[in-house]
Amino acid sequence: MTRRAPSDVPQEIKDILRLRAERPGVFVGGEYEPLHISGPAQSHIIGFARAQSHSLPEILCLGVRDQHAASNGWRDTHITLPFGTWHDITTNALFQDSASGTDLFNTQSTCILVRSGHAPAPPHPLPTAESSGTETSAPE
């Protein structure tokens, strides 16, 4: 087995290892959910969200099966992202709602997106007439 010098390790691997050190819980346990991909190059992309059970996804992993075969169709290929803002750990680009294949794979064949900021707070129940102390009358 040959061991690589630290300078030979691709930047993408260094970024993933740094993320693993910063957010170890994302890499232990959890569930995978495929991302919805549409467009002419959809068959060349694999993508999934990773989350702990009953929680919002924290990391999205995307990769290209064949960079050269899909390069002409990136512009019309889109990946639907889960709710929130997503940060590409290699390029520092931010995405919401969706991302185009061009934006994700123009300079790289894999990308890791992590949730940026905090997950949204759960919705609060609306006050009822009983809890607000006001009476409502039924329509006649």
Side-chain angles (χ1 to χ4, degrees), residues 9-27 48 50 59-63 87-91 108-114:
V9 175
Q11 185 61 44
E12 294 161 328
I13 300 298
K14 290 178 184 177
D15 292 337
I16 292 168
L17 291 173
R18 185 184 75 246
L19 176 63
R20 185 175 182 179
E22 291 171 3
R23 298 185 187 194
V26 171
F27 292 87
F48 60 86
R50 183 168 168 86
I59 185 170
L60 308 179
C61 302
L62 296 127
H87 171 243
D88 184 325
I89 66 171
T90 301
T91 66
Q108 58 192 7
S109 61
T110 61
C111 61
I112 303 292
L113 305 179
V114 295

Side-chain angles (χ1 to χ4, degrees), residues 135-140:
E135 284 189 37
T136 58
S137 58
E140 294 180 23

